[in-house]
Amino acid sequence: MYADDILLLSPSVTVLQELLYVCENVLGSLDLSINPKKSVCKRIGPRCNTICCDIVSSKGRALPWVDSVRYLGVYLVRSRMFKCDFDNAKSSFYRAFNAVYGKIGRYGSEEVILQLIYSKRFPCLFYAIEACPANKTQKISLEFTINRTLMKLFRTVSSDVIKECLTVTLTITLTLGKCPIAPVGSAPMPITVLLYGP
């Protein structure tokens, strides 16, 4: 049996090696082991681009150094500061939207499609965004994703129409205290999900 979803944090490569040995000893006493084929190392900080010596398991297998790692559904990337990558979330969102839109896009109303996207796909796009700080470029990229989806849904190429839709939705949300596309009986939709303007 293998141990899953263990994250080891250390201030240096040397301490990481020692921490790995301690972890392997404790897991060995529980009849668990670390799978070196699925284990990787990643460096975050000012010296993230420095070539490091290999971290070796107690069985002699070197763990590779990678640029990106998926941990609990979130992609963490090598950088000078803690940083997440949202490209996979955007790809998944587009794929799911196109699947829904391809099945019912011509027959379903905009409200139905918007409700499906809001209830099923927005959580995937915004998964763990509270824990992963998004920089300005990433926020613009997520805004672009939402805008393109709405442009396709409402069959327009005008960003002014989309901004107007978002403004009207925000106004209704502030006036009524809930989102008009939220499921009946659900909690109000957070305003931050609706407002992607400048």
Side-chain angles (χ1 to χ4, degrees):
M1 236 182 356
Y2 292 112
D4 284 342
D5 301 327
I6 295 177
L7 180 67
L8 302 177
L9 301 173
S10 75
S12 69
V13 177
T14 306
V15 174
L16 181 61
Q17 181 67 64
E18 294 170 4
L19 194 58
L20 179 64
Y21 287 147
V22 170
C23 187
E24 285 181 316
N25 289 336
V26 170
L27 290 173
S29 67
L30 299 171
D31 284 337
L32 295 173
S33 62
I34 293 176
N35 187 349
K37 293 179 182 176
K38 295 183 178 180
S39 301
V40 295
C41 300
K42 184 178 72 67
R43 196 165 189 183
I44 298 173
R47 296 172 44 195
C48 64
N49 293 322
T50 305
I51 297 174
C52 300
C53 62
D54 289 336
I55 301 294
V56 182
S57 70
S58 59
K59 296 180 182 177
R61 293 191 176 167
L63 304 181
W65 288 92
V66 295
D67 293 334
S68 175
V69 63
R70 182 177 184 215
Y71 182 70
L72 299 177
V74 177
Y75 286 84
L76 308 172
V77 294
R78 179 185 66 173
S79 66
R80 297 180 59 82
M81 296 171 42
F82 182 78
K83 185 177 175 185
C84 297
D85 184 20
F86 299 105
D87 289 342
N88 289 307
K90 290 187 297 185
S91 297
S92 174
F93 177 79
Y94 279 132
R95 192 170 41 252
F97 171 77
N98 288 329
V100 169
Y101 191 74
K103 297 285 185 195
I104 62 171
R106 303 236 184 259
Y107 309 110
S109 68
E110 286 88 1
E111 292 86 8
V112 170
I113 297 171
L114 209 50
Q115 175 61 42
L116 283 170
I117 297 302
Y118 167 69
S119 63
K120 300 295 182 189
R121 298 312 343 158
F122 270 17
C124 294
L125 183 62
F126 296 112
Y127 175 72
I129 200 160
E130 299 88 7
C132 297
N135 61 29
K136 186 176 180 179
T137 305
Q138 290 171 324
K139 288 177 184 176
I140 290 171
S141 179
L142 289 171
E143 175 186 349
F144 181 82
T145 303
I146 299 296
N147 288 343
R148 283 296 166 187
T149 302
L150 294 176
M151 284 179 179
K152 186 172 185 176
L153 178 62
F154 295 121
R155 297 178 186 94
T156 183
V157 293
S158 172
S159 59
D160 294 333
V161 171
I162 300 306
K163 285 180 184 178
E164 181 67 26
C165 289
L166 292 174
T167 304
V168 168
T169 305
L170 178 61
T171 304
I172 292 170
T173 303
L174 291 174
T175 305
L176 300 178
K178 69 176 193 173
C179 178
I181 59 171
V184 176
S186 69
M189 184 175 172
I191 293 172
T192 52
V193 174
L194 291 173
L195 182 60
Y196 286 97

